[in-house]
Amino acid sequence: MNNILVPIGTSPNSSNTLQYAIDFAANFGAKVFVMDVFTVTSGTGSLANVEEKVARSSKERLKEIIDKTDTKAIEIKVATYNGDIISGLKSIDKEIGIDLIIIAPRSNAIEDELYLGNTSGRIVKQTNIPTLIVPKGTVFKPVKRIMTAFGSGIVKRNRILNPLIAIKDKFRAEVSLLLVKRPGYSEEDLQVNTALLDLSQQLNMTEHATTYLGVLEHFQKEQPDMLCVFRRKRGFFKKLWEKNTVPKSEFFVSIPVLVLSVKKE
């Protein structure tokens, strides 16, 4: 794991998310890229000048946020992008290769209806880049127990598992596998990829309407430090991928969630 990217929005908690990313990256010797996105449009010939000024202001704001953190001698680079955040992420990924995006959910507060807001939801749902969703205010600690939940054991490309393997190996974490049989499952779904099986000596199987309900059944017993799920067209958050936001009524956990994308399967 070499390059970790942290998109910085307008949240006052941005420095907390960045600090978690720095502490996480320090264990891997990874670089941290701090990214801000802005939109400048103009019908005049001064567009380049306006964009330059906004980019400069954006970089200054990012540096102020970085100054609030303990960088632990980690190399932190600033990246700005004029345009849509998804296009920006894909552009940076193409240029440097992003191994992991670290973002915060919309809110930790139960009374807030959304787990993922429009921006964080789009990042998770519209890119193929592994994403770690870290609750606001979470202080980094070594990951010891990872629950990996899925409704299908099919993983066509083993490299999809690389972030999970890296975290497991670095922290010597125990990985438990939870296969949730959902309505309409096939026998092929029950054939778990051997690389996934090799990560754990424990495979639990349950039957629920959704993968998330299966997670709720086992969550308290396992008490994981991290939840790992797969982003599929038909999988975890099955219907949730149809929209950008994710309501807490349909998904909420208070621990970091690693989302591995298998969108191109």
Side-chain angles (χ1 to χ4, degrees):
M1 195 172 298
N2 299 314
N3 298 322
I4 294 174
L5 185 138
V6 185
I8 297 293
T10 57
S11 169
N13 298 300
S14 295
S15 60
N16 293 333
T17 303
L18 177 57
Q19 186 64 64
Y20 184 99
I22 291 169
D23 294 344
F24 182 91
N27 288 273
F28 296 90
K31 297 177 183 176
V32 173
F33 291 80
V34 184
M35 175 186 179
D36 191 24
V37 172
F38 58 87
T39 302
V40 174
T41 57
S42 174
T44 70
S46 62
L47 174 60
N49 291 334
V50 173
E51 182 177 342
E52 183 180 346
K53 289 180 181 179
V54 174
R56 188 184 310 121
S57 175
S58 177
K59 287 180 179 179
E60 289 173 356
R61 187 177 75 89
L62 292 181
K63 289 177 180 177
E64 288 176 1
I65 293 173
I66 293 170
D67 287 342
K68 295 178 182 178
T69 66
D70 176 4
T71 60
K72 300 182 182 296
I74 290 295
E75 184 177 359
I76 300 178
K77 295 191 174 184
V78 172
T80 59
Y81 186 82
N82 180 16
D84 177 72
I85 187 167
I86 302 304
S87 298
L89 287 170
K90 290 180 179 179
S91 175
I92 293 176
D93 183 35
K94 185 177 181 180
E95 181 180 349
I96 66 170
I98 302 171
D99 297 301
L100 185 69
I101 297 173
I102 295 183
I103 59 173
R106 168 69 176 267
S107 168
N108 295 348
I110 297 298
E111 61 269 19
D112 194 319
E113 295 182 356
L114 295 179
Y115 173 67
L116 294 182
N118 185 65
T119 300
S120 54
R122 290 185 67 216
I123 290 172
V124 172
K125 299 171 184 183
Q126 296 182 23
T127 74
N128 293 314
I129 306 168
T131 303
L132 184 61
I133 307 169
V134 180
K136 293 178 180 178
T138 300
V139 177
F140 173 81
K141 63 178 182 180
V143 179
K144 295 302 181 186
R145 295 184 61 82
I146 305 172
M147 176 191 288
T148 302
F150 47 95
S152 171
I154 302 170
V155 178
K156 293 183 178 179
R157 288 179 290 279
N158 292 346
R159 69 174 183 273
I160 289 165
L161 301 173
N162 285 350
L164 176 59
I165 294 171
I167 293 171
K168 174 185 181 296
D169 290 347
K170 176 58 64 175
F171 302 113
R172 299 182 180 179
E174 294 181 8
V175 176
S176 64
L177 305 180
L178 177 64
L179 174 55
V180 183
K181 294 193 291 185
R182 302 158 308 183
Y185 74 87
S186 67
E187 289 302 314
E188 188 180 13
D189 289 329
L190 304 184
Q191 298 173 17
V192 183
N193 175 277
T194 54
L196 187 55
L197 282 175
D198 287 343
L199 292 174
S200 175
Q201 295 180 336
Q202 179 183 356
L203 172 63
N204 295 313
M205 193 174 296
T206 186
E207 193 161 353
H208 280 282
T210 67
T211 308
Y212 175 50
L213 290 176
V215 168
L216 290 182
E217 177 192 0
H218 289 262
F219 193 85
Q220 289 302 321
K221 182 179 71 174
E222 302 223 0
Q223 295 189 344
D225 302 309
M226 179 178 289
L227 174 65
C228 178
V229 298
F230 295 92
R231 184 252 191 262
R232 303 177 190 265
K233 287 186 176 179
R234 60 175 203 91
F236 200 80
F237 295 155
K238 183 177 179 181
K239 65 178 180 178
L240 304 186
W241 300 126
E242 298 171 3
K243 51 195 175 184
N244 287 329
T245 58
V246 175
K248 284 184 178 173
S249 60
E250 298 181 40
F251 177 80
F252 175 76
V253 293
S254 58
I255 60 173
V257 178
L258 176 64
V259 182
L260 304 180
S261 179
V262 291
K263 182 179 178 182
K264 292 182 179 180
E265 283 190 3

